[in-house]
Amino acid sequence: MYSYLKGELVEILEDAIVVEVNDIGYHIHIPASMIDYFTGIGQKVKIYTYLHVKEDLMELYGFRTRDDLNIFKLLLGVSGIGPKGALAVLTVMTPDDLRFAVLGEDVKAIAKAPGIGNKTAQRLILELKDKLKLEDAFEKKTAHVAEEQAGSLSGVKSEAVQALTALGYGTSESLKAVNSLELSSDITVEDLLKAALKQMAFL
């Protein structure tokens, strides 16, 4: 029903947030680990959502990225795991961590989630192992690391990477080109972008 909600963050609770969209406040359950990503009340946010309907109960669950949402849905397909159990797993593990834990059959890592014991963790691994591929896990991990690195660059470098990706270049190759350049104190985004484009011709 809802793909995502974009609006103003008006309340931060222990395991949920309230986002106001067109004068309506949406109560959204989130993984506790997601709280750290909010800068404060009044922040504009985009939350990927899942609407859970059961008898007379309707609840919204929200995530920072579509990947988080997809993993949440995958967890819901495991017998014995409901929305709260899936949320608990994503509170202690990132989607990347979970993929590698499933493929590596790491029962202990998954069982650390509140309410998820060894038996449930074993069942989770059994039911999800055939749905995940090691190649995809590495590919997504690499992409996420590249995004984090882009976020940690200085302002000029970060803007240059964003400009390159807007031009159609991949995040990883854009990072490689920008990181290979020397930064002077007075360099502009335009100068860095031109230098990066020249550099990319040789990569």
Side-chain angles (χ1 to χ4, degrees), residues 130-147:
D130 291 338
K131 297 179 181 179
L132 299 172
K133 294 180 180 178
L134 191 58
E135 294 83 0
D136 292 341
F138 276 114
E139 186 178 319
K140 287 184 182 295
K141 177 67 174 176
T142 300
H144 292 155
V145 169
E147 287 170 9

Side-chain angles (χ1 to χ4, degrees), residues 115-133:
I116 305 293
N118 285 338
K119 286 186 178 179
T120 303
Q122 287 170 348
R123 185 166 59 249
L124 186 155
I125 289 170
L126 185 66
E127 294 186 24
L128 294 188
K129 196 166 185 185
D130 291 338
K131 297 179 181 179
L132 299 172
K133 294 180 180 178

Side-chain angles (χ1 to χ4, degrees), residues 9-96:
L9 181 66
V10 295
E11 195 171 356
I12 300 175
L13 306 171
E14 187 176 338
D15 61 351
I17 55 173
V18 177
V19 177
E20 185 176 311
V21 183
N22 296 327
D23 298 325
I24 298 175
Y26 292 88
H27 185 97
I28 308 169
H29 297 280
I30 60 170
S33 55
M34 191 173 153
I35 296 290
D36 296 335
Y37 291 101
F38 298 119
T39 57
I41 302 302
Q43 175 187 356
K44 296 296 181 183
V45 295
K46 179 180 180 179
I47 307 294
Y48 291 92
T49 55
Y50 175 85
L51 178 63
H52 177 67
V53 181
K54 183 180 180 183
E55 296 174 358
D56 59 346
L57 179 68
M58 294 177 67
E59 292 181 316
L60 268 178
Y61 290 82
F63 306 90
R64 271 196 330 121
T65 68
R66 195 171 292 282
D67 187 37
D68 293 343
L69 174 60
N70 289 338
I71 288 294
F72 177 77
K73 289 179 180 178
L74 202 60
L75 287 167
L76 289 180
V78 176
S79 53
I81 294 185
K84 295 211 168 140
L87 213 61
V89 173
L90 290 175
T91 290
V92 299
M93 307 183 83
T94 66
D96 290 326

Side-chain angles (χ1 to χ4, degrees), residues 107-118:
V107 174
K108 287 184 179 179
I110 298 171
K112 287 179 182 176
I116 305 293
N118 285 338

Side-chain angles (χ1 to χ4, degrees), residues 166-186:
L167 289 171
Y169 293 99
T171 305
S172 295
E173 62 178 326
S174 299
L175 277 167
K176 185 177 179 182
V178 171
N179 278 333
S180 67
L181 300 170
E182 296 265 339
L183 263 186
S184 61
S185 58
D186 59 347

